[in-house]
Amino acid sequence: MSVLQGDILYLFFEAKNSITMQGDIGVARSTDKGATWEQLGVALDEDWHLSYPYVFDYNGNIYMMPEGSAKGDLRLYRAVKFPTEWELEKVIMKKPLVDSFLIQHDGKYWLFGSDHSGIGAQKNGQLEIWYSSSPLGPWKPHKMNPIYNTDKSKGARNGGRPFLYDGHLHRAGQDCGETYGRRLRLFKIEALTPTEYKEVEVPLGLKESMKGRNAWNGARSHQLDVQQLSSGEWVAVMDGDRVPSGDVNRRFILGCASVLGVVMLVIVFGMLLGAVKGLVPLSWCPHNVGKRSDASFDWERSSLLSNRMRLFCSRLNRASSSLRARIKPKTCSGGLVLAVIFIVTVVLMCTGVKYIYGGSGAEEAYPLNGQYSQFTLLTMTYDARLWNLKMYVKHYSRCSSVREIVVVWNKGQPPELSELDSAVPVRIRVEKQNSLNNRFKADPLIKTRAVLELDDDIMMPCDDVERGFKVWREYPERIVGFYPRLADGNPLKYRAENHAREHNGYNMILTGAAFMDSKMAFEKYWSNEAAAGRAVVDKLFNCEDVLLNYLYANASSSSTVEYVKPAWAIDTSKFSGVAISRNTQTHYGLRSSCLQKFSEMYGSISSRKSEFHHRNDGWDV
């Protein structure tokens, strides 16, 4: 919950204590209308879980009413030294209320909250109201209590501070239908008296992100605090989560179920192959009449566990014989059954490992110094590669940090924007001339400093893109990319990644998949100094990325390139047959020629080698 004091906004929130593993109340401060925040520390810490800190003014004092349902009551705290020191003022209700708020309306104070402990109460679907002449009580129950005791998706549980807009009170409620706190609903309160309560749902006005789980609130968003500033502007604080409630437990249960399925299929597989008999002690099976000592026989006869094991082994071996009689492994049908069991076993094992050791499915942005940022994605293409572009836009627009996609259209009829399934704005920049130099043309409409130049035929996970973006933010003066190259030899030759790894170093990064500072890179590329190099690019219709690497190296004595290894990457042009450089030998020959020309113009880069394995995070292995 937020508190406005002059132009300073204070935010109180639930903070998980890593030692006690329970919720405390933290506080942060913003002096720029919520654009940035300064952490001030823990405001309130009790021996039980605290959350939902509702803060308000009354008679010149500031009070906090956090949820402490684990204690079994509702407590009111008064600020001794705002915002970090508080003391207990009063236990205002002996009920374990969750997500409560308190407002003044028509000369009375109204308390809204949910008591899920009552008999017949619907968890997350129950709401009650009390009223009083003072926030300190005593409180009287509303005549219609419970106001709601309904389906958890209806928004009964409070979802933040109520606010007055257009003469009406508005209440936010949580839709917990799919998962706890999945989304918010907004209600306009039309009647609030000791005997009557009426509210109607109104549009929240927030558009759900098309980025799905990769959005900052892709899985859940269940708290909203709206404040009106002294200037008349409105500011809202809203929470978000990429992981559904209970996701870790759900993944663990599904993973264990998959592993159990693997165990059962392995047993069936062994039974069909006749290997199960070799897995059990034959001395325990009733049909085995091997010689045993009297002492051993007496122990087995008197042991309940031994009797049960003998019975189990006997039945298992009979089942194995019966199964092999019906499904003969040496026949075609039997071999097919074995193959199906094997494939299903492998799939279940992979599924189990994914659920137990894998993540939540969201590919999150990586913060740098606690801050997140965004970049513009730029690609260059033409009409024959529209199939690539459609898949490209649909995939990368869902990545967390992508703000906009710019398509540099070099040739043919550009597509309509409606043909592209995008979660972010897409802008198609139609060029008059088909030139590779267009890739680095200055574009004043680009709103971000960071640009990811990424060919439309390269597909990689959003997580790899986000890692590359984090590394670029550490080194914004460099070209940070995913494809390293090494130019060496006499005369200079253009070499692939395998050669670079054999020589443990690289001195170029392909700009077909690289982050760069848009202003710095584009100004270098279109400077008078680079005019001769641009002419070579137009003549050979190649080497624009080689030229940019030379321009960076020529302008700095320090390292100018940085490599990040992607987990995987697919060249989709192989499927569509529209690859620009299909003849690798010819392509590399042209680039070697470019190396020699650019070395004469801007100096050699053969000695400027960066080594692999120099990053502590291991992202350049």
Side-chain angles (χ1 to χ4, degrees):
M1 300 291 180
S2 61
V3 175
L4 189 63
Q5 290 195 339
D7 292 329
I8 301 177
L9 195 63
Y10 293 91
L11 180 65
F12 294 86
F13 51 90
E14 176 188 342
K16 186 175 181 179
N17 189 310
S18 59
I19 299 176
T20 63
M21 301 304 290
Q22 68 183 21
D24 298 332
I25 303 302
V27 60
R29 175 175 57 196
S30 175
T31 58
D32 52 8
K33 302 178 183 180
T36 59
W37 294 89
E38 175 192 1
Q39 297 287 343
L40 300 180
V42 175
L44 186 62
D45 179 10
E46 293 283 19
D47 294 334
W48 55 90
H49 177 82
L50 297 174
S51 63
Y52 203 88
Y54 186 78
V55 183
F56 63 95
D57 295 329
Y58 175 66
N59 280 353
N61 291 312
I62 302 178
Y63 293 91
M64 180 195 299
M65 186 176 67
E67 179 201 316
S69 57
K71 185 65 174 175
D73 54 29
L74 184 62
R75 300 185 169 213
L76 198 63
Y77 296 81
R78 180 173 54 84
V80 178
K81 186 178 180 181
F82 184 85
T84 56
E85 293 184 19
W86 302 77
E87 68 177 14
L88 178 64
E89 180 77 6
K90 185 178 181 181
V91 176
I92 62 175
M93 191 170 292
K94 294 284 188 179
K95 290 174 74 71
L97 293 183
V98 299
D99 295 358
S100 303
F101 66 71
L102 190 153
I103 56 169
Q104 187 178 19
H105 179 71
D106 283 349
K108 292 183 174 61
Y109 286 88
W110 302 87
L111 178 64
F112 287 60
S114 300
D115 180 7
H116 297 155
S117 65
I119 298 175
Q122 299 293 325
K123 187 174 183 180
N124 299 327
Q126 190 262 14
L127 176 66
E128 298 179 25
I129 301 176
W130 292 265
Y131 61 94
S132 174
S133 59
S134 165
L136 304 179
W139 296 94
K140 298 178 182 179
H142 195 280
K143 185 177 180 180
M144 293 175 59
N145 277 350
I147 301 299
Y148 295 119
N149 193 29
T150 182
D151 184 83
K152 58 187 178 181
S153 65
K154 301 299 183 181
R157 182 169 178 172
N158 292 321
R161 180 188 300 274
F163 60 93
L164 189 66
Y165 178 71
D166 198 21
H168 288 279
L169 276 174
H170 288 72
R171 182 185 72 89
Q174 299 182 39
D175 180 344
C176 300
E178 300 170 31
T179 181
Y180 166 61
R182 173 63 186 92
R183 61 176 61 85
L184 284 166
R185 295 178 180 271
L186 187 63
F187 302 91
K188 181 174 69 173
I189 299 175
E190 295 188 332
L192 177 57
T193 70
T195 59
E196 184 183 8
Y197 181 76
K198 182 181 179 182
E199 67 180 14
V200 294
E201 186 170 2
V202 294
L204 183 61
L206 294 176
K207 190 175 182 181
E208 191 165 329
S209 173
M210 293 176 62
K211 292 194 176 188
R213 291 284 292 277
N214 290 342
W216 65 273
N217 60 346
R220 297 190 289 164
S221 185
H222 67 312
Q223 299 291 316
L224 174 68
D225 193 354
V226 178
Q227 298 269 14
Q228 188 171 23
L229 305 177
S230 57
S231 62
E233 298 174 289
W234 290 85
V235 61
V237 179
M238 192 175 186
D239 73 335
D241 201 336
R242 291 182 172 93
V243 182
S245 178
D247 182 69
V248 174
N249 294 332
R250 182 187 68 86
R251 285 188 280 115
F252 180 75
I253 292 172
L254 290 175
C256 290
S258 298
V259 172
L260 181 61
V262 170
V263 172
M264 295 176 66
L265 286 174
V266 168
I267 291 175
V268 171
F269 196 84
M271 291 170 66
L272 288 173
L273 293 179
V276 169
K277 283 188 177 181
L279 299 176
V280 297
L282 295 179
S283 60
W284 282 3
C285 299
H287 64 270
N288 180 23
V289 293
K291 186 174 181 180
R292 289 175 289 175
S293 67
D294 292 339
S296 176
F297 183 81
D298 290 340
W299 177 82
E300 290 180 12
R301 184 171 56 184
S302 62
S303 173
L304 179 62
L305 177 61
S306 176
N307 290 335
R308 288 183 176 178
M309 285 298 296
R310 286 203 307 271
L311 182 61
F312 171 77
C313 293
S314 177
R315 289 176 176 175
L316 192 62
N317 285 324
R318 285 201 300 270
S320 175
S321 300
S322 175
L323 191 62
R324 293 183 66 200
R326 295 184 179 184
I327 303 174
K328 296 178 172 54
K330 295 183 179 181
T331 63
C332 291
S333 59
L336 181 62
V337 170
L338 288 175
V340 170
I341 292 176
F342 178 78
I343 293 172
V344 173
T345 301
V346 172
V347 171
L348 281 178
M349 177 58 73
C350 293
T351 303
V353 171
K354 175 185 175 182
Y355 276 122
I356 295 175
Y357 296 104
S360 65
E363 296 178 305
E364 303 183 17
Y366 288 88
L368 182 64
N369 299 326
Q371 300 294 320
Y372 294 88
S373 188
Q374 293 182 307
F375 63 87
T376 299
L377 183 63
L378 188 147
T379 189
M380 186 170 62
T381 190
Y382 61 104
D383 52 0
R385 298 164 67 91
L386 184 57
W387 176 82
N388 285 44
L389 181 65
K390 288 182 177 180
M391 184 165 57
Y392 174 98
V393 168
K394 183 175 183 179
H395 172 64
Y396 288 115
S397 68
R398 270 71 178 175
C399 296
S400 300
S401 301
V402 175
R403 175 171 178 169
E404 179 189 25
I405 296 177
V406 176
V407 179
V408 179
W409 195 263
N410 262 1
K411 186 176 69 173
Q413 182 66 31
E416 298 292 333
L417 291 179
S418 58
E419 298 181 56
L420 305 175
D421 179 4
S422 178
V424 299
V426 177
R427 179 163 56 91
I428 299 177
R429 197 178 80 202
V430 180
E431 300 292 347
K432 296 179 180 180
Q433 179 184 354
N434 183 13
S435 170
L436 295 180
N437 291 321
N438 293 332
R439 181 192 292 275
F440 305 117
K441 183 180 289 186
D443 189 339
L445 296 180
I446 290 178
K447 303 178 181 66
T448 62
R449 178 182 177 187
V451 167
L452 171 60
E453 296 266 4
L454 186 63
D455 289 345
D456 64 330
D457 54 9
I458 295 176
M459 297 296 290
M460 66 177 70
C462 286
D463 187 57
D464 288 329
V465 173
E466 297 293 346
R467 287 193 294 141
F469 185 37
K470 180 179 184 294
V471 174
W472 177 83
R473 291 163 70 199
E474 296 173 3
Y475 306 103
E477 74 285 354
R478 301 181 187 179
I479 300 173
V480 177
F482 304 94
Y483 292 93
R485 295 292 186 264
L486 180 62
D488 63 358
N490 189 14
L492 274 177
K493 285 189 177 181
Y494 181 83
R495 309 279 191 168
E497 182 175 343
N498 289 338
H499 178 83
R501 290 190 174 278
E502 289 174 2
H503 291 77
N504 192 32
Y506 56 94
N507 50 23
M508 289 196 304
I509 290 291
L510 290 190
T511 59
F515 285 93
M516 61 195 68
D517 182 321
S518 57
K519 186 176 181 181
M520 180 191 301
F522 298 167
E523 285 184 355
K524 288 181 187 296
Y525 197 87
W526 286 91
S527 64
N528 292 331
E529 179 189 19
R534 295 197 303 273
V536 173
V537 171
D538 275 336
K539 180 180 179 180
L540 299 178
F541 205 76
N542 205 321
C543 303
E544 80 286 0
D545 51 350
V546 178
L547 174 58
L548 187 65
N549 276 269
Y550 267 88
L551 295 173
Y552 262 74
N554 188 47
S556 174
S557 58
S558 61
S559 178
T560 58
V561 291
E562 192 76 19
Y563 166 63
V564 178
K565 182 181 180 181
W568 56 264
I570 299 175
D571 183 354
T572 58
S573 67
K574 305 299 183 185
F575 305 104
S576 60
V578 290
I580 295 175
S581 53
R582 282 173 285 184
N583 189 323
T584 303
Q585 188 173 356
T586 302
H587 178 63
Y588 276 35
L590 284 174
R591 288 178 166 249
S592 294
S593 176
C594 289
L595 289 175
Q596 297 166 30
K597 288 183 172 65
F598 294 155
S599 293
E600 294 172 2
M601 297 176 185
Y602 309 110
S604 178
I605 62 171
S606 58
S607 60
R608 310 198 43 164
K609 189 167 73 170
S610 299
E611 294 184 352
F612 296 99
H613 302 274
H614 74 272
R615 291 189 58 83
N616 294 329
D617 53 30
W619 290 353
D620 63 339
V621 294

